[in-house]
Amino acid sequence: MSSFSRKHFLKLAALTAMVGKTPFENWEATAPNLNNLALVHLLMEGGPDFRHVIVPEPSTDYGKAFWKNRAISQGISSTSAAEWQNKFTQDFVRVQGTNGNPSFGIHRRCGWLATQYNAGKVAIVANVKHSESRDHQRALLVLQKGNYSTAAFTSGGSGWGGRLIGGSGLALNSNQKILSLTGQVRPFCNGNPANIVSFRNSRQFGLFTPDSLSNSDNSPSIASRIVMHRAQKSYYERVGALSGSTFEPFKNHYDRLRSLTDSVRSRVSSSALPAGISGLLQGSNALSNRDFASQIRSAHDAFLCRDLLGLRILSMNFGGFDTHRRQRVELEQRMEDIFGTGKGLDQLFLSRTNDFNSSVIVANGEFGRQLRANGDNSTDHGDANYMLFIGGRVNGGTYGELFPSREIPLYERFWEGIQSRNNFRAVFQSLVSAMGGNTTDVFNMTLTSGEDFETGFGSFSSIIS
């Protein structure tokens, strides 16, 4: 829930007392420039098999190796070239590669992604180096911290999103924030706590207010929360008369947060939620992942209140991509929830074209999958992976070698995955620069030689304009 608990409020109030000001102090004083680039970071947890939905044509040398060894995960015969081609024609949209890459297919269940790719608004970056570990938790930390030397179980410390918005290389004033739409704030966001705002449930954001209750709010704790609200309100009205006292920062903190709560809720309640987004939560078009549907709703409200909240980064996540079996069923459904026509991202930006044009969505997971399908018609943990950049300022196309000939013999070995070629600092340089930051400050890692930067297949410095 995004409403502030008593514990959370007192924690922020204590911060106010120590530093002499509130994290919300400048929010109404200076509104952010709405033309600034916004980042939507979508963490696809579990190691998404992008090679299942972004595939080579069966007639190519690479395609023959792919379809022979991946046919069972696509639900077809491993020997029939005609069946491979029929599957490609029926289930994939054929699109053109760029930067020396061949044409390929994007799964029709990712119809919005294919449409945006053809419109030049999707960059597919191949062979991105993720983690040297195939352990989920370690690899997730490496991805979110943007540092390959990240040790296991070190969830503390800054994430690259936190460094981007609060680091020395980015001249952002204090009213520009990371909005976390996830159940727990992800390590990606870690940095200055004053830059992070929980917006988990946009319809219950801020301080609790009895007026915000709906008919469905029948929890036994509601009565006690109403009592606490009235006591808190009465207390701060009384100490407000004590100008210059120790209590004044607490009163100022309360007033600003109360004002922000009222402003956000007023705007959200006065603007009808698009039917397409409400339909993702219930009805015939509801997403299989209702949590992600709720995040889409909160993302819509975040953009609606972009000036009030100081939105600069949105943090989202979608789990369940560890598909060791039933990949054709489970992975395709999850991919459709995110990238399908009329589904998550499509509905989010359908009515918010201006926000799409001034945003970059980065969709990635902690690692890729093995090249060859396993015995359960799926794929196991791999190494490097694809990464997607989507948005109005993206120079679309394919970057890095999409289907390297060096991988063809690797399909005969079960343990092989996509080979690492492109490090985080290289891949994200144009995004960080476009947001006003310094890539070295954000990705302050030690690089290894020989496998960190791929040349000849597009310039990573031009992915974002």
Side-chain angles (χ1 to χ4, degrees):
M1 154 184 294
S2 293
S3 58
F4 287 86
S5 66
R6 178 176 178 271
K7 180 179 179 181
H8 191 189
F9 176 82
L10 291 176
K11 181 178 179 180
L12 290 174
L15 176 64
T16 299
M18 287 188 292
V19 302
K21 61 181 181 180
T22 166
F24 313 104
E25 184 167 330
N26 296 320
W27 282 20
E28 294 179 310
T30 54
N33 182 350
L34 299 187
N35 293 320
N36 281 341
L37 184 65
L39 167 61
V40 179
H41 184 259
L42 174 55
L43 179 61
M44 300 170 65
E45 294 186 56
D49 190 352
F50 279 117
R51 277 279 178 88
H52 184 92
V53 294
I54 298 173
V55 304
E57 295 199 76
S59 59
T60 65
D61 288 342
Y62 189 98
K64 292 172 185 176
F66 173 91
W67 287 95
K68 173 187 174 183
N69 292 286
R70 282 251 185 162
I72 58 172
S73 64
Q74 293 283 350
I76 59 174
S77 168
S78 62
T79 59
S80 172
E83 193 173 354
W84 302 345
Q85 185 60 53
N86 185 57
K87 174 74 173 181
F88 182 88
T89 302
Q90 286 189 347
D91 286 7
F92 293 85
V93 179
R94 184 180 184 272
V95 298
Q96 295 297 319
T98 66
N99 296 319
N101 283 301
S103 56
F104 60 99
I106 297 177
H107 205 289
R108 294 186 186 278
R109 294 187 74 171
C110 300
W112 178 79
L113 184 69
T115 298
Q116 295 302 326
Y117 180 88
N118 283 329
K121 302 303 180 186
V122 176
I124 301 172
V125 184
N127 314 319
V128 180
K129 180 180 178 180
H130 284 64
S131 170
E132 295 178 356
S133 169
R134 292 183 177 183
D135 173 73
H136 287 292
Q137 296 307 314
R138 167 77 185 283
L140 279 167
L141 287 174
V142 169
L143 176 68
Q144 294 179 85
K145 292 193 174 187
N147 193 326
Y148 296 118
S149 62
T150 300
F153 310 115
T154 55
S155 57
S158 63
W160 74 263
R163 293 193 299 272
L164 175 61
I165 200 167
S168 59
L170 188 56
L172 296 178
N173 58 45
S174 60
N175 71 324
Q176 301 192 51
K177 310 293 181 183
I178 299 177
L179 270 61
S180 171
L181 309 187
T182 60
Q184 291 183 322
V185 176
R186 307 298 301 179
F188 163 79
C189 304
N190 287 352
N192 184 347
N195 291 337
I196 307 170
V197 179
S198 174
F199 207 63
R200 167 71 171 170
N201 185 339
S202 58
R203 302 299 162 122
Q204 296 182 5
F205 171 75
L207 290 175
F208 172 79
T209 305
D211 294 342
S212 68
L213 296 177
S214 67
N215 294 331
S216 62
D217 288 315
N218 55 7
S219 168
S221 66
I222 291 297
S224 63
R225 295 183 69 189
I226 292 175
V227 171
M228 176 61 69
H229 161 74
R230 290 173 177 166
Q232 190 180 56
K233 184 173 182 293
S234 175
Y235 172 76
Y236 284 107
E237 286 175 350
R238 177 169 299 182
V239 301
L242 305 175
S243 178
S245 74
T246 305
F247 299 99
E248 188 172 16
F250 291 85
K251 172 62 166 59
N252 292 340
H253 176 83
Y254 175 84
D255 286 344
R256 292 181 188 281
L257 185 51
R258 171 59 64 193
S259 176
L260 179 64
T261 298
D262 294 343
S263 297
V264 169
R265 289 186 176 174
S266 175
R267 184 172 297 181
V268 168
S269 64
S270 64
S271 179
L273 186 70
I277 292 181
S278 60
L280 300 179
L281 292 158
Q282 57 184 358
S284 60
N285 199 43
L287 300 185
S288 62
N289 187 315
R290 300 302 175 87
D291 177 71
F292 186 67
S294 296
Q295 290 182 58
I296 291 292
R297 181 181 66 182
S298 291
H300 168 272
D301 291 346
F303 281 119
L304 180 67
C305 301
R306 189 170 178 173
D307 57 326
L308 299 175
L309 294 166
L311 166 63
R312 196 69 193 277
I313 299 177
L314 279 181
S315 173
M316 307 176 71
N317 80 295
F318 193 119
F321 283 99
D322 190 18
T323 50
H324 289 272
R325 58 187 297 272
R326 287 173 27 95
Q327 180 161 292
R328 183 166 168 249
V329 175
E330 296 183 6
L331 180 132
E332 290 179 12
Q333 180 62 69
R334 292 175 175 88
M335 289 287 188
E336 184 178 21
D337 273 2
I338 299 171
F339 303 116
T341 301
K343 298 298 183 177
L345 293 178
D346 188 8
Q347 293 293 353
L348 172 60
F349 291 108
L350 192 63
S351 61
R352 305 211 65 82
T353 305
N354 290 338
D355 291 310
F356 180 79
N357 290 334
S358 61
S359 299
V360 172
I361 303 107
V362 172
N364 55 17
E366 64 267 37
F367 46 58
R369 314 297 291 189
Q370 291 180 15
L371 294 173
R372 183 171 177 170
N374 64 23
D376 287 325
N377 304 332
S378 190
T379 50
D380 295 317
H381 296 185
D383 303 300
N385 204 353
Y386 292 172
M387 188 176 291
L388 305 182
F389 292 77
I390 311 168
R393 290 176 58 179
V394 172
N395 296 313
T398 50
Y399 295 78
E401 190 173 8
L402 207 58
F403 306 116
S405 59
R406 64 177 178 271
E407 288 182 356
I408 293 176
L410 302 184
Y411 274 92
E412 300 301 323
R413 304 201 291 263
F414 280 106
W415 62 88
E416 297 285 1
I418 296 173
Q419 294 181 317
S420 300
R421 283 294 187 272
N422 302 304
N423 66 69
F424 295 143
R425 186 187 298 174
V427 172
F428 285 110
Q429 59 182 293
S430 64
L431 171 64
V432 173
S433 177
M435 293 190 71
N438 182 291
T439 313
T440 304
D441 288 341
V442 175
F443 295 97
N444 54 353
M445 59 191 180
T446 300
L447 302 181
T448 58
S449 62
E451 62 171 4
D452 290 321
F453 189 68
E454 184 177 25
T455 60
F457 296 92
S459 172
F460 295 154
S461 63
S462 62
I463 294 177
I464 312 298
S465 60

